[in-house]
DNA sequence: GATGAATGAGACTTCATTCAT
DNA sequence: TATGAATGAAGTCTCATTCAT
C-alpha cells in the first residue's frame, strides 16, 4: 500500500538527511509515489515525521514494558533495557538520533511540542524504572529523571561512535560497556 | 569591526535556530551589517559556521589543557573537566548542542568532514585523559574513546535536561550527579 | 439523492469561499459524498458551478416573469422586481455576488461564455421591462440595457452594504431607498 | 527600477486574471524580473496587491479631494466625481473591479481587513459629499453611506457594460447617463 | 571594506482530475 | 451509482549566493 511505502521511505530519507534536509520530493521518489500522494496520506511534512516517531516510541515502549512486567532482578532489567534501546537505535539509526537530538528547533511548533512530550514521556518511563531501584535500595539516591535523560544521551552518543567505528568494537562490547558505566562507573574501586 | 559583529551575531542566531533554520538574512540583520558583508568576510554559510565552531573548540581545548598540565589527581582532573565542559555547554548552549548533535547530516560535505574531525579530536583528547587513568590502574579497562564519546553525550543530554528543568536541580547538583555517575555509576555497592 | 446533496453543498461552499477558493474536496465533504461522486454527476468544477447558476437564473426569471405577465403598473412592477431581486440576493448572498461580480476572469473559457450569456440574458430581460416604460412615456429616454446593467450593480452593492451593516437599516428601508433612487434619483426637486 | 516594473506588471496581471488566478510567476515574467525579486520587494502576494490598491486609492482620493476643496456647486461636484471615478475605473479597469467586487473572500485575513477599511473609507468619503447636499437641502433625506455604496456598484457595473459594449455608447453618453440616474432617476416626472 | 538589489534553484503545499473497483 | 486512493501540474514562498557600485 502507498501509505506503508511512504512510511518506509520517509524513515529512510529522514535518517539519511535529518529532518530539515529531507525533502518531500525525495521521500516521494524513494517511495515511488507521486508527490501529491504524500499529502493524501499525511497533512504535511511535520505530521508525517510525527507519525513515524510515534510509531517508533510505541514499539520501544511496548518492548520495554514487557521487560518491566517480568519478575527479573533490576540488574537484569537494566541489561534488557539497554539491549532494547540499542536495538532501536541501531535498527533505525539516524532516526532515533533525530528524535532525541536534532529537533530542538525549526519545526512546526505544535508538532514539536508533541514530540517533546513523547520524549519526556519516555524519559519518565525510564526514570520510573530507576525509581524502583532507589526504593529497593539498590541504586544511589539520585535525581532519577536527570539520570534517565543523561542515559539516553549516553546511549545515543555511544551508538553513534559504534556505528562510525565498526572495527573498533562489536555489539557485545558496546552492551557490556554501557552496562558497566551505567551501573558501576569508570572507577575500578568504588567506596 | 564587522567581522566580530558577524561572529557574535552568528553564534546567537545559530544557537537560537539550529544550523539549517538559521538564515544569512537573520545573521546580517542581527549583526547590523548588509548581507553582502557576510560574503565579504566568509565564503559562505558553512564556512562561517565552521569558523565559529573552531573558535569554540580552541577555547575549551585551551581551558582543559591547562587542567592536564597541572599535577592534579585524576579525580580532580575529571571534576575539572566536567566543570569546564559544563561551562562551555551552558554558556553557549544551543551552539554546543548543534556541534555535537545536530550536524550528522545536511551540510556541505567538506565542511562536515572538518567538523567531524574537530569533534573526533576533542573526543581523542578526552580519551587521552581516561587512558592515563587506565594506565595508572585507577580506571577500569575500557575502550577509552567509546567512553569519551559516551560521556560527551551524557553531558550534552544532562545539560539539556538541566536547562529545561531549572527548578528541579541546581548547577552543583548537576555537577555532582555527573561526577558520581561517571566515576561510580548508579549502583550503591560496587564490587 | 447524491446529486441534490452535491448541489446544495456546492451552493453553500461557493457562497462561502468564492469560486476559486472553493475546493471540490470541501464540497464533497460538505455533501457527505466521496470526491469521485462529484465527477460522476458533473464533468468538472466549472460545469458544476454553471449548473447551479443556471438553476438560480431560472428561478429568478420565473419569479419576475410572473410579475411581467400581471397587469400591474410600471411603478408596481419595478417595486416587485426590486423585491424579488433582493430576495434572491439576500437568500443566497455570496452566490449571487459571485455570479454577477467575481466571475470576470479565471474560469474555463467556454463555461465563462455561457455564464456571461446568462447574465446578459438577465440584463436584457430587465432592459425589456424598462423599454416598455420608455415606450409608454413613463421613463426617460435612456439606454435601457446600460440602465439595467447599472441597476444590477446598484442592487448588488447595496445588498452588500445592508448585509455588513445590519444595524444601520432594515429591509424595508433598503427597498424604499432602491425604489427612490432608481425612479427619482437623489435630488429633491427634479425638472 | 525593479520595484516599479513589478508594480506595473502586477497591475496588469491582476487586472487581467483577477486576484486568485494571477500568479506570481506571471507577474515576474511580465515584469522581466526573477521570481525572487518579487519577494525581495514585497513580503507576499497579498501585500503586493495591497500596495497597489493603496496607491490607487491615494490617487483617486487626491483627485476627488481637489474637487471638494473648490467652490463648485453640488451639481458640478457630483459631475466631477463621476468623471474622476470613471477615469479611474476605465484606466485601470479590472483592477478597480477586483478591489470593489472580487475580494469578498479568499485572501489573507489581515490584508483583507485593511482593504475593506480602504473601501469603507472611500465610501465614507463619498457619503460625506452627499451629506453636504442633504444639509443644504439639495438632496433627499437618505442614508448617505448606503447611497454611496450603491453608487459605487452602479458605477462599476456601468463601466463593465460600457467596456464590453464599446459600440453601444460613448464615454459622454455614459457620463450623462450616470449623472441623470444618480440625480433624477429613471422616471420622467418626479413629484 | 562594505553594500543591497537581484537571482534562481528548490522547498512545501494545493487541488482538479482520473481510474480501478 | 458511487468510491477514494493516487496523480502531477501549478502555485507561493525561502534563502544562499552573486555582483555592480
Amino acid at each position: 500500500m502507498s501509505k506503508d511505502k511512504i512510511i518506509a521511505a520517509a524513515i529512510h530519507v529522514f535518517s539519511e538527511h535529518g529532518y530539515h534536509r529531507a525533502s518531500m520530493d525525495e521521500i516521494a521518489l524513494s517511495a515511488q509515489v507521486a508527490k501529491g500522494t504524500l499529502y493524501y496520506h499525511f497533512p504535511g511534512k511535520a505530521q508525517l515525521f510525527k507519525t513515524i516517531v510515534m510509531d517508533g516510541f510505541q514499539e520501544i515502549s511496548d518492548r520495554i514494558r514487557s521487560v518491566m512486567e517480568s519478575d527479573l532482578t533490576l540488574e537484569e532489567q537494566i541489561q534488557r533495557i539497554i539491549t532494547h534501546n540499542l536495538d532501536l537505535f541501531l535498527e533505525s539509526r539516524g532516526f532515533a538520533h533525530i528524535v532525541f537530538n536534532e529537533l530542538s528547533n525549526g519545526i512546526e511548533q505544535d508538532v514539536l511540542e508533541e514530540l517533546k512530550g513523547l520524549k519526556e514521556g519516555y524519559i519518565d518511563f525510564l526514570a520510573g524504572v530507576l525509581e524502583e531501584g532507589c526504593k529497593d535500595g539498590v541504586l544511589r539516591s539520585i535525581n532519577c529523571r536527570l539520570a534517565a535523560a543523561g542515559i539516553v544521551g549516553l546511549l545515543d552518543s555511544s551508538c553513534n561512535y559504534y556505528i562510525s567505528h565498526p572495527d573498533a568494537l562489536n555489539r557485545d562490547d558496546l552492551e557490556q560497556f554501557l552496562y558497566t558505566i551505567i551501573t558501576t562507573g569508570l572507577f575500578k574501586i568504588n567506596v
Side-chain angles (χ1 to χ4, degrees), chain A residues 132-146:
Chain A
E132 285 300 311
C134 288
K135 276 197 205 132
D136 297 353
V138 185
L139 297 188
R140 297 175 193 287
S141 159
I142 42 154
N143 182 325
C144 290
R145 297 191 77 240
L146 172 61

Side-chain angles (χ1 to χ4, degrees), chain A residues 78-120:
Chain A
I78 290 180
Q79 186 78 53
R80 298 283 177 91
I81 288 174
I82 291 172
T83 303
H84 285 317
N85 254 296
L86 247 45
D87 286 344
L88 174 78
F89 276 34
L90 295 174
E91 271 166 29
S92 54
R93 177 77 297 230
F95 202 77
H97 182 75
I98 293 170
V99 175
F100 283 104
N101 286 299
E102 192 194 301
L103 284 182
S104 315
N105 311 291
I107 185 177
E108 276 77 355
Q109 203 55 42
D110 54 336
V111 173
L112 187 57
E113 290 311 322
E114 279 188 79
L115 290 176
K116 275 189 179 157
L118 285 173
K119 216 155 70 177
E120 295 250 325

Side-chain angles (χ1 to χ4, degrees), chain A residues 14 30 51 58 76 82 103 112 125 127 172 180:
Chain A
F14 279 130
S30 168
T51 300
Q58 195 57 51
E76 287 168 328
I82 291 172
L103 284 182
L112 187 57
F125 182 60
D172 281 344
T180 302

Side-chain angles (χ1 to χ4, degrees), chain A residues 6-23 26-27 30 45 48-49 52-53 88-99 102 160 163:
Chain A
I6 290 169
I7 288 176
I11 289 174
H12 179 251
V13 174
F14 279 130
S15 302
E16 193 91 355
H17 300 307
Y19 179 78
H20 296 300
R21 300 283 286 203
S23 79
E26 188 173 352
I27 293 171
S30 168
K45 185 181 178 179
L48 168 56
F49 186 75
I52 301 173
V53 172
L88 174 78
F89 276 34
L90 295 174
E91 271 166 29
S92 54
R93 177 77 297 230
F95 202 77
H97 182 75
I98 293 170
V99 175
E102 192 194 301
N160 259 347
I163 287 168

Side-chain angles (χ1 to χ4, degrees), chain A residues 39-57:
Chain A
Y39 290 88
Y40 179 75
H41 290 289
F42 302 92
K45 185 181 178 179
Q47 289 81 0
L48 168 56
F49 186 75
K50 191 185 75 176
T51 300
I52 301 173
V53 172
M54 292 184 73
D55 287 357
F57 269 108

